[in-house]
Amino acid sequence: MGQVSFENVGKAYPNGFEAVKDLNLEITEGEFLVMVGPSGCGKSTTLRMIAGLEEITSGKISIDDRIINDLPPKDRDIAMVFQNYALYPHMNVGDNIGFALKLQKRPKSEIKERVATAARILELTELLDRKPAQLSGGQRQRVAMGRAIVRRPQVFLLDEPLSNLDAKLRVQMRAEITDLQREVGVTTFYVTHDQVEAMTMADRVAVINRGVLQQVAAPQTLFDEPENLFVAAFIGSPSMNLMEGQLSNVGTSDEVVLQLGSHALAVPPSLLAARPALAGYLNRPIVVGLRPKDFEDASITPEHPTDQRLPVEVTNVEALGYEKIVYFDLDAKPVISEDALDIEDESVAAEVLNRTTSQVSGRFDPATRVRSGETTEVCVDMANAHFFDLDSGAAIRS
């Protein structure tokens, strides 16, 4: 077992700051759920409330059918892996892994067996006699995981466990932790600010911002069907290009074009059929979202419809080997999230809000020969365009 439920959970501090607001979330038995969001969004507070390290202000948290609001941490049957590993430097690996069992006064034979099993799973058997100072960062992280596994809890809690590792080791540990969770099958709640970790590790991802849960879905669903502007901008790297535009009919026909600044792009009938609510937004300002992957150099995609192309001046090109990130300007007003405007200097914020030109990023085939400063033609895959209400920021679908 190990189903975790939040029902209308809130956390407010004495100074009035609300870290978490009316959270309703269910983590199913055996699920690997990752909560992701920017710094200060409430994700670590949420994890600490499960652990009993933060008292909740309202609502209730349950593990299976047991409400744990008032239970001390030791009675919640959870195991937590910290960002800094929290290993005892004077103990060897084996003693670190088995220390919680020793506190529980388990028989020595049982402790030895459980430590050996955890060490085998984590490939630490040859390191059991070493002290933490003799281990690499990745090995220390595995020891911290072993200490959690050996307790056989109902729930694993991991608070940014990879943030202290270098980039290459983070990639390796992502795969190791994911494989480990699948093997052990324990319900896991993982907190990170790194969307790549969230997208590559999770069964489902919960996106949170300013204490409010924005969307919970499978990673691909988050990318393909963001519920609002925040999720659209936060998920994906480079992030989605968000601009003001307007949909309108071509003369008296049923054909619809998207006006982006001085440019018009044909909207495929299949897209309009899939999102009938767009009919109510004709001739009104609207937010258009275009992923970088939906732009391409027209010279290498000659079959692309001519009414879905833009003449642009390239401002920068980043060659990454497997692709090129190409930047260009469009004379369409950019849509900036509140978080991006959370700037102390009001004059800077005002300048951002008054911009009338958007810098757009596209992920081009590495074979493209476009160069910075050149004018070129760019294809836009309008079938994948996203649309959002300008006032509410909600996605427009059905």
Side-chain angles (χ1 to χ4, degrees), residues 10 12 40 79 87 130 175 225 292 304 325 329 335 373:
L87 303 179
R130 292 192 188 180
E225 302 173 16
H304 197 83
I325 308 297
D329 289 337
V335 175

Side-chain angles (χ1 to χ4, degrees), residues 20-97:
V20 177
K21 305 172 187 177
D22 196 28
L23 176 62
N24 289 281
L25 176 65
E26 191 166 287
I27 309 169
T28 60
E29 180 184 349
E31 181 178 27
F32 195 138
L33 187 136
V34 178
M35 180 169 277
V36 66
S39 297
C41 68
K43 56 188 184 295
S44 289
T45 301
T46 300
L47 179 142
R48 289 170 64 83
M49 287 192 291
I50 303 175
L53 303 177
E54 291 276 4
E55 291 185 5
I56 72 171
T57 306
S58 59
K60 64 181 182 180
I61 301 175
S62 305
I63 296 180
D64 293 332
D65 296 324
R66 182 177 61 149
I67 297 173
I68 62 170
N69 289 20
D70 301 318
L71 284 180
K74 66 182 180 64
D75 296 331
R76 297 192 177 203
D77 199 11
I78 56 95
M80 189 166 174
V81 178
F82 295 92
Q83 179 177 338
N84 62 357
Y85 320 135
L87 303 179
Y88 298 107
H90 63 286
M91 294 183 184
N92 64 26
V93 168
D95 290 339
N96 263 287
I97 293 174

Side-chain angles (χ1 to χ4, degrees), residues 254-274:
D254 292 332
E255 293 180 35
V256 174
V257 296
L258 169 66
Q259 196 71 37
L260 275 181
S262 59
H263 305 287
L265 294 166
V267 180
S270 57
L271 176 61
L272 296 171

